[in-house]
Amino acid sequence: MRFSFAVLAGADIIIIMAENLNCSYCNKPATVHLTQIVNNKIIKVDLCESCAQSKGVTDSEGYSLTDLLSKTNLGPEKGEPQITCPDCGLSTADFRRTGRLGCAACYQSFVPLLKPVLEDMHAGIIHKGKIPDVALSRQTSMAKLQSLESALLRAISEEAYEDAAKFRDEIQAYKEDAVSEAVQS
Amino acid sequence: MIESLLKADNAELTQSTKKGAPVVLSTRLRLARNLVDVPFPERASNSQRSDVMTRCADQIAELTQMKHGAFFDIAELSDLEKQVLVERHLISRELCESKSGSGVFINKDQTCSIMINEEDHLRIQFLKTGFSLRSIWKQIDRFDSSLENDLDLAFSSEFGYLTACPTNLGTGLRASVMLHLPGLVISEHMDKVIRAVNQLGITVRGLFGEGSDATGHVFQISNQQTLGESEGEIMARLGSVFKTIIDHEINARFKYIEENRARLLDQIGRAFGTLQNAHVINSNEAMNLLSLMRLAVDLEMLPEVNRSDVDRLFIECQPGHIQYAAGVGIEPDARDLCRADILREEFSRLPALDFDKVNKLG
């Protein structure tokens, strides 16, 4: 029993029996045929064995058709906002070429481009799963402590000693709370 | 370097003593996680990548789940060793091709592997033979939470866990079940099933294939979407699709037995004869013959105790494993001889097929 398997994502997918087509990338005989209907348009990609493998189509772990298609579509769309992430320097063109983001901050920088992509890709665009409570509360308390410490330094440099004493007490109380919480847990 | 893994006597996929099941081979969960303050691996500098590797490796090494586990720096593994790990589903092809500063932790019984600096800083994977989404979730959730005690992960309240590719955003969870579906393939219903399942947001892909064939009738079903649903909802949907596919597979088998009893017995009988006597077998043929042997166990033509042998051979007959076992680099032709030797040896130890069992069915 031989048939070509299509790796499937998104909407309707049709399995095509082996055809004599050439690879969309290197022109060798294609053995993997992907077909997806996106917004009523049929998109076909034919791949030879080695291109299928190098593009991760046969990778049992991490393949997505969206990924492949975003790499296949050339260049940015017209009138698209040109964004550059202030943290890692990823540009709109980089994002369109790789289909990937560069860093955590990109998820803020690229929101206008991402929202429609995410809407097509996922069941919803708001996270409903697990929340890393411990890490988040640690991050919040670290940020709080840092802001108190810099307020203290500023107060000292401005010779506002009453304020400084207040900040020092707050820092002290905050650290004691953290210690007693840690002991309890 | 990976010798101890291959010699392990308790590896989940190849040495499991647990009772296997018809249709389902194994269940896997994977979580994608990133550190908050470093660019994702592809955009990180070499020094940032090695910093991530050191920070993660230090934390992971301390976790109890990783006691007696092994760490491998990808740069120090040979191509063949990497291929063997891919065939055992312990690392991905993408990790094999990664730049410097990538590695993998593998625990003692090979149920857990953590890839560092693959597409994301961390890819945590837990797998087990049989179907067990809930119990694996408990393990991976606990593991993930214990990492979170010491590492600050990239997370937003709106988008959840932030990942390099938006396809993994949110839960970062890919849940997958590996299924053996000869009934649906032989009855030519597989394409219908794939289309139906796909509309439910579930992906189907062939497995063990060197090319485009779904060799060995083994398929993997997994969730496509990771954002907008909780982990529980994702697994519930996969679980219900899984049950439906099993029902269809069982029905297809019974129908095939009813209508083509002699042909099926002939196919299984010839496959058994080939495995016991052939001297040249390529990997595709081996997968397809082994698939018929797994079916023979399901139909009680072979004893249940031999199911784990068949499942082990599915992995040990892959090209990398054959080449690794041969010790030196061998040509594909020579590999087919070695594979046949192994299979003849293994199948000479099995009892004769019990054809009466199927004749009593239906």
Side-chain angles (χ1 to χ4, degrees):
Chain A
M1 187 58 47
R2 296 174 73 86
F3 66 93
S4 56
F5 75 89
V7 183
L8 313 165
D12 266 328
I13 298 283
I14 300 159
I15 297 278
I16 303 171
M17 304 305 287
E19 289 172 35
N20 289 327
L21 288 168
N22 288 336
C23 177
S24 315
Y25 291 87
C26 69
N27 237 13
K28 272 189 254 166
T31 52
V32 178
H33 311 282
L34 307 173
T35 305
Q36 182 171 28
I37 299 167
V38 182
N39 301 330
N40 297 324
K41 267 196 303 192
I42 296 176
I43 300 174
K44 283 189 183 186
V45 186
D46 304 295
L47 300 166
C48 71
E49 215 167 294
S50 62
C51 285
Q53 216 162 78
S54 71
K55 309 228 173 274
V57 175
T58 54
D59 194 328
S60 64
E61 157 63 10
Y63 174 72
S64 81
L65 189 57
T66 339
D67 208 16
L68 182 82
L69 289 174
S70 65
K71 286 175 197 167
T72 313
N73 292 339
L74 299 169
E77 289 165 28
K78 275 180 203 162
E80 192 168 68
Q82 296 303 309
I83 297 165
T84 303
C85 174
D87 272 37
C88 74
L90 189 89
S91 68
T92 298
D94 291 333
F95 173 55
R96 285 292 171 213
R97 195 183 65 247
T98 62
R100 291 180 183 178
L101 293 155
C103 69
C106 285
Y107 277 97
Q108 286 161 8
S109 323
F110 283 86
V111 160
L113 285 181
L114 270 172
K115 280 266 167 78
V117 174
L118 294 176
E119 276 164 8
D120 285 349
M121 205 178 266
H122 290 293
I125 58 165
I126 300 291
H127 178 59
K128 288 191 186 167
K130 180 177 175 173
I131 294 167
D133 293 316
V134 177
L136 288 183
S137 73
R138 182 179 57 239
Q139 282 168 43
T140 324
S141 60
M142 278 302 289
K144 170 89 175 152
L145 205 55
Q146 276 169 6
S147 81
L148 282 173
E149 277 168 352
S150 61
L152 173 64
L153 290 177
R154 197 167 53 242
I156 292 172
S157 72
E158 289 167 2
E159 300 185 5
Y161 295 116
E162 255 176 57
D163 289 348
K166 197 185 82 191
F167 290 133
R168 186 202 55 212
D169 292 346
E170 274 185 47
I171 291 171
Q172 191 60 34
Y174 205 80
K175 282 183 176 166
E176 276 165 16
D177 280 357
V179 169
S180 69
E181 263 174 43
V183 169
Q184 274 167 23
S185 69
Chain B
M1 285 185 75
I2 61 167
E3 196 129 323
S4 61
L5 287 183
L6 296 181
K7 287 202 175 134
D9 55 6
N10 61 346
E12 182 73 9
L13 288 185
T14 51
Q15 306 286 338
S16 181
T17 50
K18 275 171 294 179
K19 197 174 173 294
V23 188
V24 52
L25 287 160
S26 62
T27 310
R28 258 201 294 177
L29 293 183
R30 177 274 271 158
L31 292 174
R33 297 288 187 254
N34 287 283
L35 304 190
V36 72
D37 50 354
V38 190
F40 301 141
E42 203 171 270
R43 275 191 92 71
S45 68
N46 282 346
S47 69
Q48 284 171 320
R49 288 168 65 95
S50 65
D51 172 51
V52 167
M53 184 139 105
T54 319
R55 276 161 67 190
C56 294
D58 286 351
Q59 291 307 326
I60 294 165
E62 279 180 23
L63 299 178
T64 47
Q65 291 97 327
M66 272 299 149
K67 223 175 164 187
H68 309 299
F71 173 77
F72 301 105
D73 186 330
I74 292 304
E76 290 171 14
L77 293 178
S78 71
D79 286 347
L80 181 57
E81 287 174 319
K82 287 187 267 191
Q83 191 184 346
V84 167
L85 295 182
V86 169
E87 288 171 359
R88 290 172 98 83
H89 307 295
L90 294 170
I91 64 172
S92 64
R93 289 207 178 98
E94 173 149 353
L95 190 76
C96 297
E97 278 148 33
S98 57
K99 295 181 274 182
S100 67
S102 293
V104 62
F105 267 98
I106 298 168
N107 75 343
K108 194 159 181 271
D109 60 7
Q110 298 170 39
T111 52
C112 167
S113 74
I114 298 124
M115 293 187 274
I116 303 175
N117 284 327
E118 202 241 26
E119 181 180 300
D120 296 296
H121 292 143
L122 288 167
R123 285 285 178 96
I124 307 162
Q125 173 190 277
F126 276 70
L127 65 78
K128 268 190 180 165
T129 54
F131 179 76
S132 57
L133 284 171
R134 299 283 152 192
S135 76
I136 302 182
W137 169 252
K138 272 189 202 148
Q139 285 186 316
I140 200 169
D141 182 32
R142 200 182 317 135
F143 188 90
D144 176 50
S145 298
S146 53
L147 274 183
E148 171 204 319
N149 282 334
D150 296 289
L151 297 171
D152 284 339
L153 300 176
F155 181 87
S156 98
S157 54
E158 186 182 13
F159 293 140
Y161 290 95
L162 305 178
T163 53
C165 184
T167 48
N168 298 312
L169 190 63
T171 57
L173 173 69
R174 187 82 60 220
S176 56
V177 184
M178 236 203 280
L179 299 169
H180 176 231
L181 305 173
L184 289 170
V185 175
I186 292 169
S187 61
E188 297 184 19
H189 284 124
M190 201 55 215
D191 52 345
K192 251 192 276 172
V193 169
I194 291 176
R195 234 176 302 159
V197 159
N198 190 60
Q199 279 171 352
L200 301 166
I202 301 290
T203 304
V204 182
R205 53 173 77 88
L207 212 78
F208 288 138
E210 279 182 280
S212 57
D213 280 348
T215 321
H217 309 141
V218 176
F219 296 83
Q220 178 177 284
I221 60 168
S222 58
N223 63 304
Q224 184 63 33
Q225 291 146 342
T226 54
L227 180 66
E229 282 180 309
S230 69
E231 291 85 357
E233 287 168 320
I234 290 170
M235 290 186 287
R237 196 150 45 82
L238 186 71
S240 83
V241 166
F242 161 78
K243 289 201 179 73
T244 313
I245 294 183
I246 290 211
D247 287 347
H248 283 290
E249 169 64 20
I250 300 289
N251 286 340
R253 288 184 189 183
F254 274 114
K255 200 154 178 271
Y256 193 77
I257 292 170
E258 224 169 81
E259 293 167 3
N260 303 285
R261 188 183 307 259
R263 176 179 289 182
L264 181 68
L265 294 182
D266 185 64
Q267 276 180 309
I268 292 175
R270 281 167 188 270
F272 194 67
T274 305
L275 288 163
Q276 282 189 327
N277 294 293
H279 281 65
V280 184
I281 300 186
N282 69 25
S283 124
N284 273 12
E285 186 184 4
M287 294 306 117
N288 287 329
L289 295 173
L290 288 169
S291 165
L292 286 166
M293 291 303 103
R294 199 174 204 275
L295 184 59
V297 176
D298 294 348
L299 296 170
E300 297 180 34
M301 295 168 71
L302 279 174
E304 181 67 41
V305 291
N306 296 120
R307 181 188 298 286
S308 58
D309 296 320
V310 176
D311 289 354
R312 171 173 50 82
L313 288 168
F314 262 119
I315 290 174
E316 289 184 352
C317 283
Q318 300 287 310
H321 275 76
I322 295 290
Q323 203 160 325
Y324 195 87
V328 282
I330 51 172
E331 296 301 308
D333 290 353
R335 246 189 269 159
D336 295 348
L337 305 187
C338 291
R339 186 179 291 109
D341 289 346
I342 290 170
L343 288 167
R344 273 202 323 281
E345 159 75 22
E346 292 272 351
F347 278 86
S348 68
R349 283 189 246 135
L350 296 195
L353 292 173
D354 182 353
F355 291 106
D356 291 342
K357 283 277 164 44
V358 176
N359 279 324
K360 283 180 200 141
L361 277 176

